[in-house]
Amino acid sequence: MIGNRMNTTEELGEAGVIRIRWIPKYTAMERLFHWGHTVTFLALAATGMILFFPFLRPLAQGEGGQLVRLMHRAAAIPYGALPLIYVILEPRRAVLSLRSVFKVSRDDFEWIKGAMPYYLFGRHEAMAPQDRFNTGEKLNAVVIILGSVAFAITGLVMWFGKGIVPIGLYQAMVVMHDVSMVVTVSIFIVHFYLAVVHPMMWAGLVSMRFGVTSAAYAQEHHASWYYGPERAKEIYEARKAALAAEEEYPTD
Amino acid sequence: MSRVAMLIDESRCMGCRGCQVACKQWNDLPGEETTQRGSYENPPDLSPTTWTRVRFIEVVQGDSLQWLFLTHGCFHCGQPACVHVCPTGALKRDLTEGIITVEPDLCNGCGYCSQFCPFGIPRLDTDVLSGEGKAYKCNFCQDRVANGLLPACVKTCPSGAFDFGDREAMLAKGRARVEKLNQQGFPNANLYGEHELGGLGRLYVLKERPSLYGLPENPEYPVLANLWQDVLQPLGTLAFGAAALGVLGFYFLARRSVNMEDVE
Ligand code: HEM
């Protein structure tokens, strides 16, 4: 690893213990929203799939099936309410998060190019600098946000629109609800892997639990957020140059 | 037994609603409180407790009024969308007789059947908020038919408008009757249900075009039912399987090649 240790703010303290400087990343509300949405999403996915997949049919039948549908509806209420509560209670944070989630730059395309070698083989000599969320997290967020809007619209029509809306519209809503399910659950599997299972990824989980991230991690993985975009770009270019030099005249 | 059908000759119906009453009696369905709506037709629609009902269609010709009757209820399609979309298996099509029934113990009240039926037949008694309830519709009195009896409505009809039995025989009777009506001065007379939706189990001899009776001229199978059940469901299984397997593969790849000392 090149030119990295010099920048870290981890220091050896008096007792020879590494001190980590923690910087805030998520508010308590944001974490509550994230985990509340996760739990209700899983509950909705589980109960919904019972109606969707023919091999789960025994669970969908009769009284049990009625309970499954009731649980789906009960979980849908907090699932829909949580994002609204977040936006109402912390509108500025919400705007900030939405802005960074939906902002696309060249760094995102470079990040995607570097993602495979990074996540598969742990190579991250030159990852394009990232904002508070990296491109992968942003992709996940965009899919979940759009999916949730689709779930809410189609789900409400399926809930209250029976016999009121034309049946062609109702049918389209069911199909769209299920398309959203297939897409969001697929992305959830990947998100779960990268955030929880992947051997290198623990910092994200820590910050989503405790709301903080270490300065060293932020410098390395969220440079645009930590240093600001310009300084981050300088560091990135310098590191790329150093890497190229290393390749030409290997030191070991 | 081969596929059965009910042949209803609407040119012979006199609107007595005996079928309606017999249906309620046999299936133990309560009467409904009705109001005077300015028509003999009552109750106003099919419902969880009204599985068959005579439509009274008033046709004004010059200064005379003509009634057209139509005994409405489940059509027992050869290709039933309701059975295809039912997530519980409560809706079943009997493979020999072709009768479509709802098994109340299995139904969970989701109501997809009501939203995918090309004729809008199944009725729900579900609570809007909780979604609790079940779907109901005509079952051709399968319990009677299985014991060699006629469906209650057929049995009771005093004017001979109803017939019931082997579908081929019913079709032959229906065609002959239409021919006769054509000769008797009903050029629009037609047999409804011969080919529609895999052939209907409820066949009508009509004096006029189907649309005049409030029937769809060309009832169509909802394509979205197929997109949902035949494309999306396998695709969903495939997508989740691929995502899970891919992730598992990546995990072992990453475990092997990531130098954990690099990880901070
Ligand atoms: C605002 C959120 C949501 C609402 C209002 C909602 C509402 C509904 C309703 C009303 C139904 C029809 C079943 C019934 O009538 O009880 C349904 C089915 C379903 N929902 Fe949701 N839902 C929501 C979110 C979700 C989420 C997040 C998922 C999955 C991740 C999901 C997956 C499904 C599935 C798979 C079905 C079954 C469709 C089928 O039978 O093929 N829903 N939902």
Side-chain angles (χ1 to χ4, degrees), chain A residues 41 48 51-52 69 72-73 76 151 158 177-178, chain B residues 112 228:
Chain A
F41 177 84
L51 295 182
F52 182 68
R69 289 179 49 233
H72 193 80
R73 290 168 180 218
F151 277 128
M158 286 159 75
H177 203 78
D178 286 340
Chain B
Y112 295 154
W228 174 19

Side-chain angles (χ1 to χ4, degrees), chain B residues 161-241:
Chain B
F162 279 77
D163 206 341
F164 187 86
D166 178 76
R167 187 164 184 274
E168 288 306 318
M170 292 300 119
L171 283 172
K173 278 192 184 175
R175 282 191 218 106
R177 178 67 186 158
V178 166
E179 216 164 286
K180 195 150 191 199
L181 282 170
N182 285 340
Q183 287 161 9
Q184 287 178 351
F186 295 98
N188 291 331
N190 63 94
L191 180 63
Y192 189 83
E194 184 165 1
H195 302 294
E196 288 87 344
L197 299 160
L200 303 179
R202 178 183 291 260
L203 303 166
Y204 288 127
V205 172
L206 303 175
K207 283 192 291 187
E208 303 292 342
R209 295 307 312 156
S211 51
L212 211 60
Y213 292 84
L215 291 169
E217 293 273 349
N218 294 301
E220 274 175 40
Y221 190 88
V223 279
L224 285 177
N226 287 338
L227 177 67
W228 174 19
Q229 301 290 326
D230 302 338
V231 180
L232 210 53
Q233 274 176 6
L235 211 69
T237 318
L238 211 69
F240 299 159

Side-chain angles (χ1 to χ4, degrees), chain B residues 105-147:
Chain B
D105 287 347
L106 297 183
C107 177
N108 74 15
C110 74
Y112 295 154
C113 52
S114 73
Q115 301 301 304
F116 282 81
C117 172
F119 299 102
I121 296 293
R123 293 300 136 106
L124 310 165
D125 64 356
T126 48
D127 179 73
V128 173
L129 199 60
S130 74
E132 220 172 302
K134 289 185 189 307
Y136 302 90
K137 67 167 198 67
C138 154
N139 57 21
F140 268 5
C141 292
Q142 199 193 33
D143 45 357
R144 292 176 60 93
V145 173
N147 288 291

Side-chain angles (χ1 to χ4, degrees), chain A residues 40-42 44-53 68-70 72-73 75-77 79-80 147-148 151-160 162 170 174 177-178 180-181 184-185, chain B residues 85 87 109-112 130-131 228-229 233:
Chain A
T40 49
F41 177 84
L42 289 175
L44 285 160
T47 49
M49 278 184 217
I50 288 175
L51 295 182
F52 182 68
F53 285 119
V68 163
R69 289 179 49 233
L70 189 63
H72 193 80
R73 290 168 180 218
I77 296 166
Y79 183 83
S148 298
F151 277 128
I153 295 171
T154 56
L156 285 174
V157 173
M158 286 159 75
W159 192 338
F160 297 106
K162 216 176 280 157
Y170 193 97
V174 177
H177 203 78
D178 286 340
S180 308
M181 193 273 288
T184 55
V185 171
Chain B
V85 301
C110 74
Y112 295 154
S130 74
W228 174 19
Q229 301 290 326
Q233 274 176 6

